[in-house]
Amino acid sequence: DQQVKQNSPSLSVQEGRISILNCDYTNSMFDYFLWYKKYPAEGPTFLISISSIKDKNEDGRFTVFLNKSAKHLSLHIVPSQPGDSAVYFCAAPGGAGNMLTFGGGTRLMVKP
Amino acid sequence: DTGVSQDPRHKITKRGQNVTFRCDPISEHNRLYWYRQTLGQGPEFLTYFQNEAQLEKSRLLSDRFSAERPKGSFSTLEIQRTEQGDSAMYLCASSFLQANYGYTFGSGTRLTVV
């Protein structure tokens, strides 16, 4: 069972515009969420996180929104830059050792 | 400390051979995790260690897989009698128990079984 889902496998955006990446989860026990960015042949790197006690967290061009009632979170990148082109994963820690459960990822392509 | 190191970066092996990967975590991190990522999927949890103790194993970790973390430092992941389905990126991550959610990933080992 996929507890964390990213339903859009890819997204293409023009440079300077907003990128919105979505993530849904089913496990209501999740109380913290993280977004990771991954370039080819590299490991995931941490981008931004949000606790379930908040509905928004902002860090520079990146903002994550959490809608607990809908079990939905989104990552907004404004303005998008070509260097943002990567695969983005949402993840939630839980269970043994707070292991991360990842979504399937969304490949973002920012066109110059 | 330069982060989490994994070796080798790439491994091509023939079906049926054994392979071993190594992960060197951040030195003060006492938790170490192994994940597997296949094409088009997110990383999937395989196993984790707290210090030298292996505390959890995923059902994905068949009996052909074994992981160790002697002395709570580096870790090795061995796959015996490799199969083509084992082809994947194997990722290692570490974290500090008292700093929840501060995971750092290595660059991974790309395994190709031919």
Side-chain angles (χ1 to χ4, degrees), chain A residues 48-102:
Chain A
I48 192 170
S49 62
I50 188 166
S51 165
S52 60
I53 62 173
K54 295 185 174 182
D55 55 15
K56 176 182 175 182
N57 188 28
E58 193 171 353
D59 184 1
R61 297 185 297 113
F62 303 91
T63 303
V64 57
F65 295 91
L66 175 62
N67 182 333
K68 284 181 62 179
S69 61
K71 294 191 177 67
H72 177 82
L73 57 156
S74 61
L75 174 67
H76 293 211
I77 306 173
V78 184
S80 301
Q81 300 173 354
D84 296 329
S85 297
V87 179
Y88 290 77
F89 294 99
C90 65
N98 278 327
M99 65 179 194
L100 290 173
T101 300
F102 283 86

